[in-house]
């Protein structure tokens, strides 16, 4: 996605100076009569005097018009079902007769991103990947670099382990040689798409994401941090949640984290 910016005028004439926003930080925009309600990726919301025509002109193909009064960032869309499901869990209404057009636009933009995924600096074989990541061999946490596999419709359908350390082999309960250069789907028939969608976002949009969820593949609750590495790849740091030791006397911050973990696991499982 481009790093374009857009200036939003204050809601009231004669107010503050225009607010200049990086378009990549916008999740979606809804028109409310003569004003635009702008929803940012950090959860902030503000209103501005700007028309839908101006928004479409400035934001271009990186945003999809799902309704005459709603523009959604391509990078924010998780799936298009009965509603447009965003990557933060929000759901937006759309014109159902426009579903085919919306999906085609989404796939076109994802295709454009995938076609740019050429990185001459990426390792070319297992030995080179190991040389690049060998500092992770002795780490006590699981780490892997995975390469995403896309289908003809440019949707992520699997990933291939290009590097994995011994801690990952222990977590996945498989020999290390069974992981390297093998796809996840070939090793685990019950692959859960929730991991796939998160890794896809890291690869396509350069996001760093943190996931707390249950993995039926290894029957374990996991904390996973994923982030982009080489083009078409992402790195993943994985922890077995049960391996975290809690002190007998918890501080307020520790209690907050325990509550957060409980809420996250309860919401996602």
């Amino acid at each position: 996605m481009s790093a374009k910016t857009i200036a939003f005028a204050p809601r009231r004439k004669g107010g503050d100076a225009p607010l200049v926003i990086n378009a990549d930080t916008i999740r979606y925009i809804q028109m409310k009569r003569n004003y635009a309600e702008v929803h940012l990726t950090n959860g902030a919301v503000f209103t501005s005097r700007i028309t839908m025509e101006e928004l479409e002109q400035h934001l271009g193909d990186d945003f999809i018009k799902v309704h005459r009064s709603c523009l959604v960032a391509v990078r924010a869309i998780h799936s298009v079902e009965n509603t447009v499901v965003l990557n933060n869990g929000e759901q937006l209404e759309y014109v159902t007769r426009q579903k085919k057009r919306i999906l085609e636009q989404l796939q076109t933009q994802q295709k454009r991103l995938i076609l740019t995924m050429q990185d001459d600096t990426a390792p070319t074989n297992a030995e080179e990947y190991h040389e690049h990541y060998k500092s992770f061999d002795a780490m006590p946490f699981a780490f892997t670099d995975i390469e995403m596999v896309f289908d003809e419709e440019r949707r992520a359908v699997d990933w291939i382990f290009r590097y994995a350390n011994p801690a990952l082999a222990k977590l996945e309960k498989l020999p290390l040689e069974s992981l390297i250069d093998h796809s996840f789907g070939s090793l685990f028939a019950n692959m859960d798409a929730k991991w796939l969608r998160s890794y896809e976002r890291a690869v396509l949009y350069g996001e760093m994401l943190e996931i707390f969820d249950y993995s039926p593949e290894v029957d374990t609750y996991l904390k996973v941090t994923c982030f982009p590495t080489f083009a078409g790849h992402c790195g993943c740091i994985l922890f077995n949640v049960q391996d975290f030791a809690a002190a007998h006397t918890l501080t307020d911050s520790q209690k907050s984290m325990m509550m957060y973990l409980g809420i996250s696991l309860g919401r996602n499982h």
Side-chain angles (χ1 to χ4, degrees), residues 131-174:
E131 179 63 24
H132 183 80
Y133 286 117
K134 63 183 179 181
S135 60
F136 287 93
D137 286 352
M139 291 297 175
F141 55 81
F143 174 77
T144 181
D145 182 293
I146 61 175
E147 181 178 0
M148 300 304 297
V149 178
F150 296 90
D151 63 13
E152 293 181 355
E153 296 182 346
R154 306 309 192 270
R155 291 287 287 172
V157 293
D158 206 343
W159 67 81
I160 299 171
F161 294 99
R162 293 308 186 190
Y163 167 83
N165 66 357
L168 182 81
K170 179 181 178 181
L171 183 65
E172 301 287 2
K173 303 172 185 176
L174 287 171

Side-chain angles (χ1 to χ4, degrees), residues 16-83:
D16 297 331
L19 181 63
V20 179
I21 295 291
N22 185 327
D24 288 348
T25 66
I26 301 173
R27 182 170 281 129
Y28 66 96
I29 303 173
Q30 286 187 323
M31 297 301 299
K32 303 285 186 179
R33 294 188 178 178
N34 298 323
Y35 301 99
E37 186 177 83
V38 184
H39 295 251
L40 303 182
T41 54
N42 63 3
V45 181
F46 67 89
T47 57
S48 171
R49 292 185 293 107
I50 192 169
T51 67
M52 176 61 80
E53 291 72 22
E54 290 174 310
L55 287 169
E56 291 182 281
Q57 179 182 354
H58 286 297
L59 296 174
D61 294 337
D62 291 347
F63 283 71
I64 296 177
K65 193 174 185 179
V66 300
H67 189 276
R68 62 185 178 85
S69 61
C70 185
L71 280 175
V72 184
V74 171
R75 65 185 300 151
I77 298 176
H78 174 72
S79 61
V80 180
E81 301 169 12
N82 293 330
T83 58

